[in-house]
Amino acid sequence: VAAERRPATFRLAVEYDGTDFHGWQVQSRHRTVQGDLEHALRRLAEGPVRVTGAGRTDAGCHAAGQVASVKLVTRLAAERLQRALNAILPPDVRVLEAAEVGPDFHARFDASRRAYRYLVHPAPTALGRRYVWVRTVRATVAALNDASRAVLGEHDFTTFSKKGSDNGGPRCRVTRARWRRRRSRLSFDIEADRFLYTMVRRIVSTVIDAAERGTGARAIRAALASADRRAAAPPAPAHGLYLMRVRYPRVGWVPKEPLDVFA
Amino acid sequence: VAAERRPATFRLAVEYDGTDFHGWQVQSRHRTVQGDLEHALRRLAEGPVRVTGAGRTDAGCHAAGQVASVKLVTRLAAERLQRALNAILPPDVRVLEAAEVGPDFHARFDASRRAYRYLVHPAPTALGRRYVWVRTVRATVAALNDASRAVLGEHDFTTFSKKGSDNGGPRCRVTRARWRRRRSRLSFDIEADRFLYTMVRRIVSTVIDAAERGTGARAIRAALASADRRAAAPPAPAHGLYLMRVRYPRVGWVPKEPLDVFA
């Protein structure tokens, strides 16, 4: 029995390989993830569709777990919508989870925390060429963790932002910043209530520099305090960056099961 | 000071993303890894070049560590050759190591062991679409290991081979066969003195079937004993398969440092 057509709101967990996208946000001339999603939804809905992402990832950046809120008029239940979308979407975007939510749900405004990961590999690699930053890091994991500890807590992150990106102000509260090594590959996990544009990539490059120079947490604290973009290193490349998951009050982390292909 | 031009033999450790190749072996109409290597070497050498791979991986299959022997007339030392090759080769092939070796070295005939890995992931994935087999496995790691233990030792592997591939006979000695789980991703590591064409992929699919059905090692032993290809499941797809490294007497494993991008 087909359900009645009704206006509905869905929360989608979306994975994508950012390689062939010009980022998340719709652009008239370029392929974007939001654009592909809206295009697919228009084939499944009657009338307008509206898609909002929790984070606007830039060109080349990947998502193991972006979250989107979707408004449309449809007969479909969440699970059917997910299957239908995956049948239409190209293979470099997958809908991992779908849930029908209340009409007030907003993927961006309701998010209380975002988790990003950054991957660094020391040697040129064919298999990783789109998925890790190739850079030899001449510092220990302990030194990296010591330096990055300085970003924990609430700070003005102007130093680590792109000019003109501060439409919510420069303050962010970082609740996790941790490096790990798995064989020769380094990963950096960072969580905050919000992120400024290119913030993770600027923290990654600047923290590596500080750990290598031995200036550590002191250098990072001074860079933060200066609120001067010239105190940060140029951002690490986008293709090493992954939006991993997004946290919502009462719901918890979305997606529930973080993707582990490159874990 | 430039060295004298001389006939030289090199051992190369080569990594590649198999996605855009029609396998390793030179073909007249299709892009292959051996073809790309020979093309690059011809720009660096005077006269003919000859490249031999330790394993002839098929279309779509990857290599974290293929080994090639290369004969050419050149002035270049091994390290310079490696750098020059990486400057010419496309980014989906990288030379990880290069060493000058004696004129008798032969990457295929001298290899005493090959190590392959196969990756399985339960959910459709954008990031892994070229790098893992998407298949839900309804069996424990213990059950998978129990079933695959039956391939250890020396056996006639006709059951797990493609017709017409047995130019060295059907007998192989498997020295390792082990499944591991990392979160929801499964990996299967297998080592043997030699492998028949599609052998790893047929073992993977047949072992998963046996573990899921609960017929385990008994089913695998019976399949082996039958020497009948119909006793095996259709081969798992090539894009989940990685040639990891190759072992040589006195030298040990090549490459020395196994690649760990997707480790």
Side-chain angles (χ1 to χ4, degrees):
Chain A
V1 189
E4 283 297 307
R5 200 180 300 170
R6 86 286 185 202
T9 305
F10 296 94
R11 184 186 67 229
L12 306 181
V14 183
E15 181 215 3
Y16 47 87
D17 180 334
T19 307
D20 297 328
F21 289 102
H22 282 75
W24 167 263
Q25 200 166 13
V26 156
Q27 294 177 33
S28 55
R29 289 159 179 283
H30 293 296
R31 187 177 174 229
T32 67
V33 185
Q34 188 190 4
D36 272 21
L37 268 173
E38 291 185 349
H39 179 81
L41 284 162
R42 264 185 229 111
R43 291 181 50 187
L44 299 171
E46 296 146 78
V49 302
R50 224 173 65 218
V51 173
T52 308
R56 280 170 290 184
T57 58
D58 22 314
C61 164
H62 311 290
Q66 165 78 283
V67 178
S69 45
V70 164
K71 285 190 172 297
L72 74 174
V73 174
T74 181
R75 295 177 199 276
L76 296 175
E79 205 193 320
R80 299 285 295 273
L81 180 73
Q82 179 185 357
R83 254 181 295 156
L85 279 172
N86 282 335
I88 297 171
L89 285 165
D92 50 353
V93 199
R94 293 291 92 187
V95 178
L96 304 179
E97 294 176 14
E100 189 162 353
V101 291
D104 295 335
F105 176 75
H106 192 286
R108 182 143 62 97
F109 300 147
D110 291 357
S112 58
R113 222 181 292 175
R114 280 103 173 148
Y116 282 88
R117 176 170 292 167
Y118 198 93
L119 300 180
V120 184
H121 194 267
T125 156
L127 287 159
R129 70 196 186 284
R130 303 172 175 130
Y131 306 109
V132 296
W133 183 21
V134 172
R135 185 199 197 288
T136 305
V137 175
R138 297 177 207 286
T140 63
V141 170
L144 291 164
N145 275 321
D146 177 59
S148 60
R149 213 165 287 142
V151 302
L152 286 170
E154 194 180 319
H155 304 279
D156 175 330
F157 277 94
T158 300
T159 303
F160 299 106
S161 70
K162 190 172 174 168
K163 221 176 158 173
S165 69
D166 312 355
N167 45 17
R171 295 197 78 80
C172 309
R173 201 168 62 86
V174 175
T175 44
R176 183 179 155 88
R178 203 169 110 80
W179 292 84
R180 280 175 304 168
R181 188 186 291 280
R182 190 170 157 71
R183 298 214 191 150
S184 54
R185 196 191 72 185
L186 288 164
S187 65
F188 176 58
D189 282 301
I190 183 165
E191 293 174 15
D193 56 348
R194 56 192 289 270
F195 286 91
L196 310 180
Y197 190 65
T198 71
M199 176 172 147
V200 180
R201 293 158 51 198
R202 285 171 203 262
I203 290 175
V204 164
S205 55
T206 310
V207 161
I208 292 176
D209 279 5
E212 287 184 331
R213 287 184 189 140
T215 53
R218 224 167 351 115
I220 301 300
R221 266 194 296 272
L224 272 172
S226 73
D228 182 344
R229 292 181 180 87
R230 288 168 302 179
H239 68 267
L241 182 62
Y242 298 75
L243 174 51
M244 297 301 288
R245 47 187 193 153
V246 183
R247 197 175 168 86
Y248 294 91
R250 288 181 310 277
V251 176
W253 288 107
V254 179
K256 256 195 276 319
E257 281 289 325
L259 191 89
D260 47 13
V261 174
F262 304 153
Chain B
V1 188
E4 283 298 306
R5 202 181 296 170
R6 85 288 186 201
T9 305
F10 296 94
R11 185 186 67 229
L12 306 181
V14 184
E15 180 214 3
Y16 47 86
D17 179 334
T19 307
D20 297 328
F21 289 102
H22 282 75
W24 166 263
Q25 199 166 16
V26 157
Q27 295 178 34
S28 55
R29 290 160 179 284
H30 293 296
R31 187 177 175 229
T32 67
V33 185
Q34 189 190 3
D36 272 20
L37 269 173
E38 292 186 346
H39 180 80
L41 285 161
R42 264 185 228 113
R43 291 181 49 186
L44 298 171
E46 296 145 77
V49 301
R50 226 171 65 217
V51 173
T52 309
R56 282 169 288 185
T57 57
D58 23 312
C61 164
H62 310 291
Q66 164 79 283
V67 178
S69 44
V70 164
K71 285 190 173 296
L72 73 173
V73 174
T74 182
R75 296 177 198 276
L76 296 175
E79 206 192 317
R80 300 286 295 274
L81 179 74
Q82 178 186 356
R83 254 182 294 156
L85 279 172
N86 281 336
I88 297 172
L89 285 165
D92 51 352
V93 199
R94 292 291 92 188
V95 178
L96 304 179
E97 293 176 14
E100 189 162 353
V101 291
D104 294 336
F105 176 74
H106 191 287
R108 182 143 60 97
F109 299 147
D110 291 357
S112 60
R113 223 182 288 174
R114 281 105 172 145
Y116 281 88
R117 176 171 292 167
Y118 198 93
L119 300 180
V120 184
H121 195 267
T125 156
L127 287 159
R129 70 196 186 284
R130 304 170 174 132
Y131 306 109
V132 296
W133 183 21
V134 173
R135 186 199 196 288
T136 306
V137 175
R138 297 177 206 285
T140 62
V141 170
L144 291 164
N145 276 320
D146 178 61
S148 58
R149 213 165 288 141
V151 303
L152 287 169
E154 195 180 317
H155 304 279
D156 176 329
F157 277 94
T158 300
T159 303
F160 298 106
S161 70
K162 190 172 176 170
K163 222 176 158 172
S165 69
D166 312 354
N167 45 16
R171 296 196 78 81
C172 308
R173 201 168 62 86
V174 175
T175 44
R176 184 178 154 89
R178 203 169 110 79
W179 291 84
R180 279 176 303 169
R181 187 186 293 278
R182 189 168 158 73
R183 300 216 189 149
S184 56
R185 196 190 74 184
L186 288 164
S187 65
F188 176 58
D189 282 300
I190 183 165
E191 293 174 16
D193 56 348
R194 55 193 291 270
F195 286 91
L196 310 180
Y197 190 65
T198 72
M199 177 170 146
V200 180
R201 293 158 52 198
R202 285 170 203 263
I203 290 175
V204 165
S205 55
T206 311
V207 161
I208 293 176
D209 278 5
E212 286 184 331
R213 287 184 190 138
T215 53
R218 223 166 351 113
I220 302 300
R221 267 194 295 273
L224 272 172
S226 74
D228 182 344
R229 292 181 179 87
R230 289 169 301 180
H239 67 267
L241 183 62
Y242 298 75
L243 174 51
M244 296 302 287
R245 47 186 193 155
V246 183
R247 198 176 168 86
Y248 294 92
R250 289 181 308 279
V251 176
W253 288 106
V254 180
K256 257 195 274 326
E257 281 287 326
L259 190 90
D260 47 14
V261 175
F262 303 153

